[in-house]
Amino acid sequence: MEYSTMILRTLVLYFVIILVFRIMGKREIGQLSVLDFVISIMIAELAVMSIEDPSTPMISTIIPISVLVIIQLIMALISLKSEKIREIVDGKPTVLIEKGKIDEYEMKKQRYNFDDLLVQLRENNINSVSDVEFAILEPTGKLSVIKKDEQDESEGNDAVSLLPLPLILDGKIQGEHLDRIGKTELWLRQELRKVGQRNLKDISFCSLHKNGNFFIDLKNEKK
């Protein structure tokens, strides 16, 4: 009887957890935020405890799992509305290498050692740090690497060496990113006016390409 109960609980919790993760959204395991990761571990622990102890009512497991899902959905909604909360929950990208130079301060701040850096560079088929234009540590812990453009390097053209960071998110100018590419808010507004974009609040995403052209995505834009 006890074994049949364990099997039944396992099947029920299997489908419950599938439903839970479908509700939480489509993210790969390596792309989970800290909040998603913690909630995933807690759900797994609750499921194991319920299977191991058949005397515990199933409702005692379902209720905590439901509460965790509600917390995750609420935090996800708040993160969509608030950039500050999004940074706290998900973190933000950190530039570790810029134009072939390692930022030791940021590495210490992120508790990221040189062995970690070299391993991830090799995984990106990079043999020398000097070949890297930018290396960005993503909130997921993955290192995104942008190689130097050989043509730009041979021409000595540093003006087009731009880090592909968003300049506008959800209608808000990203001052930190503008500072990094040596531009000002006034410059951004003037350039956007030239392409017919006067109201920044209508822009959901804006970035600057290496060729000097803007990529602009408008809010609620019909495809």
Side-chain angles (χ1 to χ4, degrees), residues 33-36 75-76 79 84-91:
S33 67
V34 174
L35 178 63
D36 294 335
M75 291 302 297
S79 296
K84 294 291 184 183
I85 297 298
R86 186 161 60 244
E87 287 184 2
I88 293 172
V89 174
D90 294 334

Side-chain angles (χ1 to χ4, degrees), residues 58-139:
M58 279 288 291
I59 193 67
S60 298
T61 301
I62 300 298
I63 290 177
I65 289 178
S66 301
V67 171
L68 289 173
V69 173
I70 292 171
I71 291 173
Q72 196 275 342
L73 292 176
I74 292 174
M75 291 302 297
L77 182 61
I78 294 175
S79 296
L80 287 174
K81 302 293 184 181
S82 172
E83 183 181 350
K84 294 291 184 183
I85 297 298
R86 186 161 60 244
E87 287 184 2
I88 293 172
V89 174
D90 294 334
K92 60 180 182 178
T94 302
V95 179
L96 299 183
I97 300 176
E98 184 171 350
K99 297 181 181 178
K101 295 182 179 179
I102 299 173
D103 191 332
E104 289 87 356
Y105 172 76
E106 286 295 341
M107 287 186 62
K108 291 179 181 178
K109 187 177 176 181
Q110 300 298 324
R111 295 178 293 280
Y112 198 82
N113 60 52
F114 282 95
D115 289 335
D116 295 330
L117 179 63
L118 294 174
V119 166
Q120 293 217 42
L121 286 177
R122 287 195 294 271
E123 290 177 351
N124 282 276
N125 297 319
I126 301 292
N127 296 319
S128 174
V129 175
S130 61
D131 295 333
V132 179
E133 183 74 11
F134 292 102
I136 307 162
L137 183 63
E138 306 292 355

Side-chain angles (χ1 to χ4, degrees), residues 11-26 43 62 65-66 69-70 72-73:
L11 290 173
V12 171
L13 289 171
Y14 171 76
F15 289 107
V16 168
I17 291 175
I18 287 178
L19 177 62
V20 164
F21 279 94
R22 291 291 293 171
I23 293 173
M24 286 174 60
K26 296 181 179 180
I43 289 174
I62 300 298
I65 289 178
S66 301
V69 173
I70 292 171
Q72 196 275 342
L73 292 176

Side-chain angles (χ1 to χ4, degrees), residues 95 97-99 132-136 145-149 152-153 157-167 177-184 187-188 191 206-215:
V95 179
I97 300 176
E98 184 171 350
K99 297 181 181 178
V132 179
E133 183 74 11
F134 292 102
I136 307 162
V145 180
I146 301 171
K147 296 181 181 179
K148 286 185 177 179
D149 191 314
D152 292 339
E153 190 175 6
N157 189 356
D158 293 329
V160 296
S161 180
L162 298 175
L163 180 63
L165 290 174
L167 303 182
H177 297 168
L178 278 173
D179 292 339
R180 184 169 287 279
I181 64 172
K183 304 295 182 181
T184 64
W187 171 86
L188 179 60
E191 292 300 312
C206 172
S207 62
L208 183 64
H209 290 178
K210 291 183 69 176
N211 59 11
N213 294 329
F214 285 100
F215 170 79

Side-chain angles (χ1 to χ4, degrees), residues 1-9 51-55:
M1 182 65 180
E2 184 176 338
Y3 289 113
S4 61
T5 302
M6 290 177 63
I7 293 172
L8 180 60
R9 282 171 174 261
I51 293 171
E52 288 181 343
D53 186 7
S55 63

